[in-house]
Amino acid sequence: MIRHWLQRLMRWAALAGAAFVVLSIALVILLRHVPVHGSMVMLERKVEAWLAGESLPIQRQWRPWEELSDHAKLAVIAAEDQRFAIHRGFDVDEMRRAWEASRNGTRLRGASTISQQTAKNLFLWTGRSWIRKGFEAWFTVLIEALWPKQRILEVYLNIVEWDQGVFGLEAAGQHYFGVSADRLNEVHASRLAAILPNPRSWDASRPGPHVERRSQWIRQQMRNLGGPRYLEGLTAE
């Protein structure tokens, strides 16, 4: 009897796994072609506010690639993932440095790529469990295999969190500087990129000393990457 139930359980688990693979691939293919108007992180923030008895309006508005500031595209790459154009979703060099830093007892470096952050923000919940990391790796592989680099960055810039209830570049530009996503200049862009490690606590419009130093460093990195010409190396198809 126990063996019979174990066999049935294994069959159901295999069917559930196959269904998850098929559905996740179909979802990623679909989202390559249609605007993304929400994410799991947005839903999570709404649920957190509801459980706390609070209201949290979500500010977000999709903007296609052509309506996103080139300065902002370059700034987030300079700040978050300078090998974005050449890696396949995982920056092995940064992962190795993060591991070495942790072994030496120093502060753990961030090694998450823009592709990983896009997968996490769009499809998953926040947190640091190994289960979530496994799902993050799966969706990172999928979007790298099925989306061009431009699409990954386009979606990232449209769903990333920039303040409490503020998601995406259009909402962030209006929230902090009163300008649309296509009118953000180099300083605006570098300050927005500078607050990404702690967007609900740092302020891009009134940066403290740490954020201002970081934004200056980001502008230097943007120039080191070659300026907006760097973006020409991102595949569109």
Side-chain angles (χ1 to χ4, degrees):
M1 176 66 84
I2 295 177
R3 182 178 179 181
H4 172 72
W5 281 104
L6 284 174
Q7 289 175 340
R8 291 190 62 182
L9 182 62
M10 290 176 66
R11 283 198 297 270
W12 279 107
L15 287 172
F20 169 76
V21 169
V22 171
L23 290 173
S24 59
I25 291 173
L27 180 60
V28 170
I29 292 173
L30 174 67
L31 292 179
R32 170 176 174 161
H33 302 288
V34 301
V36 179
H37 293 293
S39 70
M40 285 302 295
V41 172
M42 294 180 199
L43 178 60
E44 183 176 343
R45 297 296 184 236
K46 290 288 286 186
V47 171
E48 288 173 351
W50 178 73
L51 291 175
E54 301 170 352
S55 175
L56 180 66
I58 297 295
Q59 302 174 48
R60 55 114 182 101
Q61 190 170 359
W62 173 267
R63 285 289 180 261
W65 176 263
E66 298 77 13
E67 297 177 19
L68 299 170
S69 163
D70 284 350
H71 295 300
K73 296 168 187 173
L74 189 60
V76 297
I77 291 172
E80 301 280 292
D81 185 3
Q82 293 191 16
R83 281 185 281 271
F84 174 67
I86 59 175
H87 66 60
R88 298 304 300 166
F90 306 94
D91 190 331
V92 177
D93 289 338
E94 283 299 316
M95 292 170 68
R96 187 187 68 251
R97 292 190 185 100
W99 173 249
E100 290 173 352
S102 66
R103 290 185 62 187
N104 293 334
T106 57
R107 185 172 178 268
L108 188 63
R109 295 168 53 94
S112 183
T113 66
I114 287 174
S115 302
Q116 289 174 273
Q117 292 177 56
T118 303
K120 175 183 67 177
N121 291 345
L122 184 56
F123 298 109
L124 303 170
W125 63 98
T126 59
R128 294 182 177 276
S129 70
W130 286 108
I131 293 175
R132 191 198 63 76
K133 279 291 186 184
F135 282 122
E136 177 188 307
W138 167 248
F139 280 108
T140 299
V141 169
L142 285 187
I143 65 174
E144 279 281 346
L146 298 172
W147 294 1
K149 288 289 188 177
Q150 276 192 14
R151 181 60 174 178
I152 295 172
L153 186 57
E154 178 186 39
V155 171
Y156 177 74
L157 286 169
N158 273 285
I159 66 171
V160 67
E161 185 177 29
W162 258 301
D163 198 0
Q164 194 87 319
V166 178
F167 291 87
L169 191 63
E170 176 67 22
Q174 297 286 357
H175 177 70
Y176 285 113
F177 307 113
V179 300
S180 297
D182 61 342
R183 297 183 59 198
L184 291 163
N185 61 33
E186 186 181 57
V187 173
H188 295 154
S190 65
R191 287 180 177 177
L192 286 173
I195 68 171
L196 282 175
N198 197 3
R200 294 195 287 174
S201 298
W202 294 345
D203 191 324
S205 60
R206 294 184 294 274
H210 173 73
V211 170
E212 186 56 40
R213 285 194 301 271
R214 179 168 167 78
S215 69
Q216 291 173 5
W217 176 83
I218 290 169
R219 291 197 291 276
Q220 181 60 54
Q221 297 306 304
M222 292 165 69
R223 290 187 283 273
N224 292 346
L225 287 172
R229 287 179 301 172
Y230 174 92
L231 301 171
E232 297 172 4
L234 301 184
T235 54
E237 298 295 339

